[in-house]
Amino acid sequence: MILDVLDNAHRYAGLNRGFGKAIEFLSRPDLKEMPPGRYEIDGERVYAMVALEPGHRKEDERLEIHNKYIDIQLVLAGTDDMGWRPRSSCGHPTAAYDETADIQFFTDEPDAWLSVRGGTFAVFFPEDAHMPMISREIIHKVVVKVALNQ
């Protein structure tokens, strides 16, 4: 897991072939004006989802993991209080892994909470269970999905 400000994103470009394209997209000057929806960056290898919606309550959400994609979650406005726990310590799945949606949920509690504010991003690898979109306010964010195997 990585937590940093967008100004430092270039430092992580070498972690994965798709990170450079993801960072280029996240650095667009018009990012805050883009309507919610999905945006192709490099086909299914790298794509973004812009969200502008009310946050959720901790009690109503579950930790999630992904096997095929790395999440780069950039908060544009609001504060997203993201939960985190090592995947290796998650022991209470709600169902089997959904290969089509690349997601599995767990009822385990996060070990840590990160207050991710506007201009800050978090990167979650397959080893990181995470619980995003926790807030009492509207969250404007972009999640870039970067395929592990490119």
Side-chain angles (χ1 to χ4, degrees):
M1 197 265 323
I2 295 169
L3 178 66
D4 207 339
V5 294
L6 187 58
D7 288 343
N8 293 334
H10 65 280
R11 294 181 179 179
Y12 307 102
L15 292 177
N16 177 289
R17 280 192 256 167
F19 272 35
K21 292 177 182 176
I23 293 164
E24 183 179 327
F25 181 86
L26 292 172
S27 300
R28 289 175 58 145
D30 64 340
L31 196 60
K32 290 183 179 181
E33 285 76 45
M34 296 176 79
R38 181 179 163 133
Y39 295 86
E40 298 295 326
I41 299 170
D42 187 15
E44 289 297 310
R45 291 181 295 275
V46 183
Y47 64 92
M49 295 175 295
V50 175
L52 178 61
E53 59 189 76
H56 307 150
R57 297 177 342 139
K58 291 177 185 178
E59 301 81 26
D60 297 334
E61 294 303 316
R62 299 162 290 164
L63 286 166
E64 63 185 59
I65 57 93
H66 311 290
N67 290 342
K68 300 176 186 174
Y69 287 92
I70 300 165
D71 278 5
I72 303 175
Q73 301 197 15
L74 171 66
V75 176
L76 299 172
T79 300
D80 188 346
D81 292 319
M82 300 180 192
W84 173 87
R85 181 181 182 111
R87 178 184 186 155
S88 61
S89 71
C90 290
H92 300 95
T94 62
Y97 168 73
D98 181 336
E99 188 168 342
T100 303
D102 185 38
I103 200 161
Q104 185 175 21
F105 293 102
F106 294 85
T107 59
D108 299 84
E109 292 293 319
D111 284 349
W113 289 96
L114 312 163
S115 288
V116 184
R117 294 176 174 82
T120 306
F121 69 94
V123 179
F124 297 106
F125 297 91
E127 300 82 21
D128 301 308
H130 53 288
M131 183 188 295
M133 292 301 295
I134 306 300
S135 183
R136 293 184 178 177
E137 58 189 5
I138 301 289
I139 300 173
H140 190 192
K141 70 187 291 184
V142 180
V143 178
V144 177
K145 306 289 275 185
V146 179
L148 278 175
N149 301 318
Q150 295 194 48

